[in-house]
């Protein structure tokens, strides 16, 4: 079974990305042949600073490797290192009905917000279809927001197969409904766009400040808190502390007598320790960037070997050979 997913290099990765996407993706490595890539072409639809793109691309590579992506088992690469994808995108776009793209939520949301949008944003699902189809992917683990794009991919593949004969494998989305949405410091979904993130890696002082800024109510420490399970710090503590420790803090908060400041200090310590081994690995990787670049180069070579075969099949079927 081939598993494929991509993540855009659009900023430092946070706890929402880690628990919602990275950890499940890393766990899936043992279930099949995983292909994970950094979607730098996709990032061009919203990010136009070359230096930032370079930095974020390297950050994503470092973060994934530090958190346990195994580059021997998994094919880890940069989207733009596989130019075959661009050629397939064109071929797919010629069988994609306009109406299919016009129905896509992500594009409609941007239009509704009155944002100026480019053709790339409109055609984004076709590029994503090429990403998926060019590796004969069976399973595509994504967040709920990307489900429609995988359905569009299936529709495009069906259309191509009908017109030109059996060519592409139909992928299945795997939606992680079971992964609760990780809340940010303000209680909304943790997201770069809301400025409420706690990053996986970064400076201790900055991150401590972010943890201490998690929004609480104005009840006194002594007051019992029957809604302790809804407390943001408790919800985050459950992700980074052993279950019995988190349960103990929740019970103390519920009973009254535990101050929010002390709770947040404990959260910070557990969060900081949780990522300590990964932080150590990340520092080692950052001091050895040649190795990181080599991983991406080798990943690209392995990805291109597959992409070349599937593209040749598509060319043959379409009379381009
Ligand atoms: P952001 O909202 O910060 O821009 P992205 O949309 O780039 O994050 O998400 C990248 C991946 O991380 C997706 O698979 C998404 O489902 C997951 N993810 C992002 N934020 C959260 C969150 N708060 N809880 C769970 N998963 C999340
Ligand atoms: N569009 C995805 C996102 O923003 C990233 C992505 C690009 C992707 N190509 C993909 C995900 C192919 C899965 C498969 O999160």
């Amino acid at each position: 079974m081939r598993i494929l997913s991509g993540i855009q290099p659009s900023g430092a990765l946070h706890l929402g990305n880690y628990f919602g996407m990275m950890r499940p993706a890393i766990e899936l490595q043992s279930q099949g042949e995983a292909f994970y890539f950094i979607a730098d072409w996709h990032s061009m639809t919203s990010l136009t600073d070359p230096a930032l793109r370079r930095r974020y691309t390297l950050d994503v590579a470092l973060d994934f490797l530090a958190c346990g992506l195994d580059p021997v088992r998994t094919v880890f690469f940069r989207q733009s290192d596989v130019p075959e994808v661009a050629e397939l995108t064109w071929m797919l776009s010629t069988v994609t009905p306009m109406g299919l793209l016009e129905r896509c939520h992500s594009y409609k949301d941007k239009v509704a917000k009155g944002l100026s949008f480019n053709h790339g944003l409109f055609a984004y699902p076709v590029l994503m279809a090429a990403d998926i189809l060019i590796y004969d992917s069976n399973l595509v683990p994504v967040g709920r927001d990307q489900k429609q794009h995988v359905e569009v991919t299936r529709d495009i593949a069906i259309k191509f197969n009908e017109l030109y004969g059996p060519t592409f494998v139909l992928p299945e989305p795997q939606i992680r409904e079971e992964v609760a949405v990780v809340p940010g410091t303000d209680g909304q979904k943790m997201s770069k766009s809301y400025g409420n993130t706690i990053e996986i890696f970064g400076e201790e002082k900055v991150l401590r400040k972010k943890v201490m800024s998690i929004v609480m109510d104005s009840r006194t420490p002594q007051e019992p808190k029957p809604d302790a399970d809804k407390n943001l710090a408790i919800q985050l503590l459950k992700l980074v502390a052993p279950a019995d420790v988190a349960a103990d803090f929740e019970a103390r908060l519920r009973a009254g007598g535990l101050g929010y400041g002390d709770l947040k200090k404990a959260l910070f310590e557990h969060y900081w320790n949780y990522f300590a081994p990964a932080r150590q690995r990340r520092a080692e990787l950052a001091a050895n960037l040649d190795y990181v670049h080599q991983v991406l180069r080798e990943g690209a070579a392995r990805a291109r070997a597959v992409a070349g075969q599937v593209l040749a099949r598509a060319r043959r079927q379409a009379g381009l050979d």
Side-chain angles (χ1 to χ4, degrees):
M1 181 176 66
R2 186 160 291 147
I3 306 158
L4 173 125
S5 197
I7 185 161
Q8 292 198 44
S10 51
L13 298 176
H14 52 73
L15 297 184
N17 298 139
Y18 180 77
F19 289 104
M21 189 272 173
M22 295 170 77
R23 200 174 66 170
I26 287 166
E27 283 168 6
L28 270 177
Q29 288 183 124
S30 57
Q31 316 254 312
E33 190 187 5
F35 277 51
Y36 295 144
F37 67 93
I38 306 168
D40 56 349
W41 272 339
H42 276 100
S43 76
M44 294 185 77
T45 59
S46 53
L47 176 72
T48 56
D49 181 330
L52 269 187
R53 185 167 2 266
R54 240 173 245 124
R55 196 176 97 202
Y56 292 158
T57 299
L58 183 62
D59 277 347
V60 172
L62 286 168
D63 289 0
F64 262 93
L65 290 170
C67 287
L69 184 142
D70 172 1
V72 175
R73 188 181 268 275
T74 292
V75 180
F76 186 43
F77 59 103
R78 197 165 61 148
Q79 182 181 34
S80 64
D81 281 338
V82 186
E84 286 81 357
V85 169
E87 184 177 334
L88 186 62
T89 300
W90 171 254
M91 291 168 67
L92 297 179
S93 77
T94 63
V95 304
T96 305
M98 285 295 281
L100 192 61
L101 297 180
E102 278 162 356
R103 281 197 295 278
C104 284
H105 304 302
S106 59
Y107 142 82
K108 283 200 294 195
D109 289 352
K110 303 257 165 45
V111 176
K113 281 189 193 136
L115 294 178
S116 78
F117 58 92
N118 49 51
H119 173 255
L121 200 59
F122 183 68
Y124 182 113
V126 187
L127 176 58
M128 186 154 158
D131 287 332
I132 295 170
L133 298 177
I134 207 161
Y135 304 111
D136 281 343
S137 312
N138 305 109
L139 193 69
V140 184
V142 283
R144 215 167 307 166
D145 56 323
Q146 297 296 323
K147 184 169 180 229
Q148 190 183 34
H149 290 155
V150 183
E151 287 161 0
V152 167
T153 300
R154 288 176 61 92
D155 289 345
I156 294 174
I158 289 169
K159 195 72 194 281
F160 195 99
N161 289 350
E162 272 171 15
L163 279 169
Y164 294 117
T167 310
F168 296 118
V169 171
L170 295 189
E172 296 285 344
Q174 188 194 56
I175 312 298
R176 298 174 302 268
E177 306 281 4
E178 75 289 354
V179 176
V181 171
V182 178
T185 53
D186 60 356
Q188 295 185 80
K189 171 194 166 205
M190 187 178 288
S191 170
K192 284 180 293 266
S193 355
Y194 301 146
N196 62 359
T197 56
I198 299 169
E199 281 66 37
I200 308 172
F201 302 108
E203 248 191 84
E204 181 169 358
K205 247 175 95 176
V206 176
L207 291 167
R208 185 188 297 274
K209 220 167 140 187
K210 288 196 178 194
V211 170
M212 296 311 288
S213 78
I214 294 173
V215 173
M216 298 281 129
D217 55 46
S218 56
R219 284 176 288 179
T220 64
Q222 286 69 36
E223 260 179 85
K225 313 214 169 36
D227 52 353
D229 57 318
K230 305 258 167 14
N231 182 285
L232 291 177
I234 292 289
Q235 288 181 48
L236 293 171
L237 193 63
K238 285 179 180 166
L239 296 171
V240 296
D244 55 330
V245 173
D248 183 50
F249 272 98
E250 187 178 336
R252 284 169 60 197
L253 192 67
R254 194 178 299 275
L258 172 65
Y260 289 145
D262 288 339
L263 172 60
K264 289 195 258 186
K265 272 189 205 139
L267 169 62
F268 179 80
E269 296 309 322
H270 282 284
Y271 146 73
W272 199 250
N273 292 336
Y274 183 90
F275 289 107
R279 192 174 306 115
Q280 168 78 28
R281 271 199 300 279
R282 197 182 191 286
E284 288 161 14
L285 290 161
N288 191 2
L289 290 182
D290 286 350
Y291 166 77
V292 177
H293 290 301
Q294 188 196 330
V295 163
L296 293 177
R297 260 200 314 277
E298 284 172 8
R302 288 162 75 190
R304 284 192 79 175
V306 177
Q309 285 177 18
V310 179
L311 182 63
R313 195 196 301 151
R315 280 184 182 156
R316 208 163 41 239
Q317 296 288 70
L320 295 164
D321 52 348

